[in-house]
Amino acid sequence: MRPGVPAEALELALLAGVKRGRRADFDALYRLYHPRLWRFLGHMLRQHDAIEEVLNDTLLVVWQRADSFDGRSKLSTWIFGIAYRKALKALSRPDLPIDEDEAPETADPGPGPAEQFTLVQVRGRLLEAMAELSPEHRAVVELCYFHDMAHAEIAEVVGCPAETVKTRMFYARRRLRQLLDDLAGHHGEMS
């Protein structure tokens, strides 16, 4: 990021360069979105090869169809929408094996060993519980809590009304609470 330049303005400037065929601008946009899309797709697809394939397909669409972005939404909403639709398509393909046991890579959770252990346990349980959600519910939770998107933006990404997003969030949170309670009980029995 350039100091003093808002992130959204920089992204739009890079997209303008992509529209003109400037490879350096696409590379910069790719570097900005790769980690964010990896995390989002990781929670949906949970399989390294599938994540990489969908991520690259998404950014290929950005390269090839940059001129189709009309500015009615944020650029991130448009890109995440492409990724979401590509992920759902990948999930419906019978030839794409989705390994539910492979968790996406996560960042180092903290400095102290005790805190690190606790956070790793909690994060593991959360990822385990999220894997049990439907792709639609997993996507709204991921976009809301990990990408700080508002319900209106999520609605644009997933292609449904904002009220449907609110409903999906309600049921996803309720299901996560139930799953986390079950997992806490299950892990407590194993100790």
Side-chain angles (χ1 to χ4, degrees):
M1 295 285 162
R2 294 179 198 152
V5 178
E8 198 171 333
L10 175 61
E11 291 175 8
L12 290 173
L14 291 172
L15 185 69
V18 171
K19 287 179 182 181
R20 291 189 300 274
R22 293 184 48 189
R23 178 64 191 245
D25 288 339
F26 174 75
D27 290 345
L29 199 61
Y30 185 98
R31 284 190 303 278
L32 283 173
Y33 274 89
H34 189 278
R36 294 166 63 193
L37 289 172
W38 182 271
R39 181 181 188 140
F40 172 65
L41 294 169
H43 288 126
M44 284 191 72
L45 301 171
R46 302 184 56 78
Q47 204 274 336
H48 185 276
D49 292 340
I51 297 164
E52 196 65 43
E53 180 181 333
V54 170
L55 193 151
N56 286 329
D57 287 351
T58 298
L59 291 169
L60 180 63
V61 170
V62 171
W63 172 254
Q64 293 175 334
R65 310 259 348 263
D67 58 340
S68 69
F69 176 71
D70 60 14
R72 284 187 286 163
S73 64
K74 289 170 57 176
L75 179 60
S76 61
T77 303
W78 181 67
I79 292 174
F80 274 87
I82 295 166
Y84 176 74
R85 289 185 295 282
K86 295 244 176 234
L88 287 181
K89 192 172 184 177
L91 286 169
S92 69
R93 281 185 19 208
D95 64 322
L96 187 67
I98 303 299
D99 182 356
E100 292 297 331
D101 294 330
E102 185 177 326
E105 295 174 21
T106 57
D108 183 20
E115 292 127 353
Q116 212 170 18
F117 179 73
T118 301
L119 286 172
V120 167
Q121 276 188 314
V122 169
R123 183 174 283 135
R125 287 182 185 155
L126 179 59
L127 290 174
E128 200 175 327
M130 283 188 64
E132 296 295 319
L133 297 176
S134 70
E136 292 81 7
H137 287 150
R138 212 168 30 235
V140 295
V141 169
E142 173 75 19
L143 292 169
C144 180
Y145 292 110
F146 297 107
H147 297 282
D148 296 322
M149 288 189 180
H151 289 156
E153 289 176 278
I154 296 168
E156 287 185 52
V157 169
V158 301
C160 69
E163 291 303 315
T164 302
V165 170
K166 290 177 186 176
T167 302
R168 287 180 185 175
M169 284 296 296
F170 172 80
Y171 286 110
R173 280 193 292 252
R174 186 165 76 172
R175 181 72 176 132
L176 277 174
R177 191 174 305 117
Q178 176 190 13
L179 290 166
L180 288 170
D181 287 346
D182 291 350
L183 286 170
H186 177 70
H187 287 286
E189 293 168 7
M190 294 174 62
S191 301

